[in-house]
Structure formats: structure tokens, C-alpha cells
Amino acid sequence: MKSKVFLLVLAILVIIPVTAVQAETDELGYEYTPKKASEIDFSDGDIYVVPLSGDATSEDAIYAVYEGSEVEKYEKTLPTLFAALPTKFSQYYSSSKWITRSGVVSLSLQPKKPAYDEPPGMAGAHLLKYRWKVVYDKHKNSSKWKNTASMKAQLNCHADYPKKFKTPWNIEPHRTETNYHKVVAKGCNP
């Protein structure tokens, strides 16, 4: 019996380090996990993705994936800097409204520069948090709101790729895809 327990413990010690994704630290000391676009799923929790390298439309593009708790730590550690960053809906969007196009309900957003800005590292993660949070807080109680993780993936896609070149951004609550690469590959509305 002792040898079976020993082998089990040994197997766990050998397998876990091999399969565990290693967190890295950015230039400010905040942890993120590097992931390929194809590995990012917005249904996995409170995450914010910042491009690191590669062709943005490739499933192999690498992103820094920050947990919400790391962004909160940043906000608590640097309150003066945090206070200077945009946190209000009107700082990210000039308008939003529910529309119906060809029978499809969409939340139509007119973005401002902070909504598609791409600073690296934790500053970028902070902007990502609030570009999403202000939309979520304003519209989450609507009877039209559903499939939150997919809507977050669609919003990130619009901000990362068409940016200011295709506005308004229309995020569609009937869509269910949450894998970031699949959302990007289908033009943000998979």
C-alpha cells in the first residue's frame, strides 16, 4: 500500500509541473499567464487579455492573460495612477443602444480612444477591465442581455482588431462562442 501511495505522489509531482501553465511577471511585477489565442476562453473567469506577440489573427498569437485579482491588486497598489485612468462609461464610449438589424438584436457601441487603446502590460489590462466593466454595468440588467462571456469576447475582438476603423461596435447577445481565436476568426461576431 505504501508503495502505491508513493508512486501516486511521485506521479503527481512529476505530472503537475509538466502540465501546469507557468505564470510570468510583467515589468511592474504583476503576474500573467502567456496563452495562445486558441487557448483563451472568456468563460474561464474574470480575465483580461493583452497582446504580446504574433499575428493577431493567428491562433498562435500570444497574449498576456491577467486575472481580475491582479488588476485589483494594481489598483490598490497604485491609487494615484489608477485615479488618473479612465473608469467611466463616457470616457470609453460616446453612446450605446440596443438595436435590431435583420432580426438580430445587438448592443451598438460608439467607442472613444480609451476603448481601443493598447498600452502593454498592466496598464492595458486596466483599460480592458474598464472598457468591459462600464458596458456590463450599464446594460447587464436589460432583458436583452445574455451570454456574458461571449459578449465580452466580442467586445475585446472589436477593440483589438477593427478598433476605430469599423464603428459602431455591435456585440450580439444571441452568440455563444467564448474562445477568443474563434471569435476573431469569424470577424468578432461568430
Side-chain angles (χ1 to χ4, degrees):
M1 180 67 170
K2 286 182 184 180
S3 63
K4 288 182 181 179
V5 171
F6 174 75
L7 289 174
L8 178 63
V9 170
L10 181 61
I12 290 171
L13 292 174
V14 170
I15 294 170
I16 288 177
V18 171
T19 59
V21 177
Q22 294 294 325
E24 294 188 18
T25 305
D26 68 14
E27 65 281 353
L28 296 176
Y30 295 96
E31 287 187 3
Y32 67 91
T33 303
K35 287 189 176 183
K36 292 180 181 181
S38 59
E39 300 170 336
I40 298 169
D41 194 313
F42 280 93
S43 66
D44 286 344
D46 187 21
I47 61 170
Y48 303 95
V49 300
V50 178
L52 283 178
S53 65
D55 175 11
T57 59
S58 167
E59 66 183 278
D60 294 327
I62 304 295
Y63 290 81
V65 180
Y66 288 92
E67 297 288 329
S69 59
E70 283 296 292
V71 180
E72 289 171 10
K73 187 167 86 174
Y74 166 74
E75 294 167 355
K76 290 176 186 169
T77 305
L78 300 168
T80 305
L81 176 60
F82 171 65
L85 294 171
T87 58
K88 297 180 176 141
F89 185 89
S90 62
Q91 293 172 302
Y92 287 90
Y93 306 96
S94 57
S95 66
S96 66
K97 62 183 174 181
W98 291 101
I99 63 169
T100 302
R101 300 178 301 160
S102 303
V104 175
V105 172
S106 299
L107 178 57
S108 187
L109 301 163
Q110 192 64 47
K112 292 181 176 180
K113 190 174 188 308
Y116 52 80
D117 238 1
E118 285 188 8
M122 185 51 73
H126 169 83
L127 287 177
L128 294 172
K129 174 183 177 179
Y130 282 90
R131 91 170 161 219
W132 168 249
K133 183 180 182 336
V134 297
V135 170
Y136 178 77
D137 288 349
K138 183 171 181 163
H139 294 286
K140 68 182 178 190
N141 293 325
S142 168
S143 62
K144 297 173 183 170
W145 186 278
K146 61 182 178 176
N147 297 317
T148 299
S150 178
M151 291 179 71
K152 186 176 182 182
Q154 291 175 62
L155 178 67
N156 275 280
C157 180
H158 281 86
D160 286 346
Y161 302 106
K163 300 181 187 247
K164 65 181 177 183
F165 302 108
K166 183 203 163 282
T167 59
W169 298 343
N170 293 307
I171 58 175
E172 300 172 351
H174 77 279
R175 300 195 183 274
T176 59
E177 184 59 61
T178 58
N179 176 277
Y180 195 52
H181 173 66
K182 290 179 181 176
V183 171
V184 170
K186 293 291 185 176
C188 301
N189 297 116

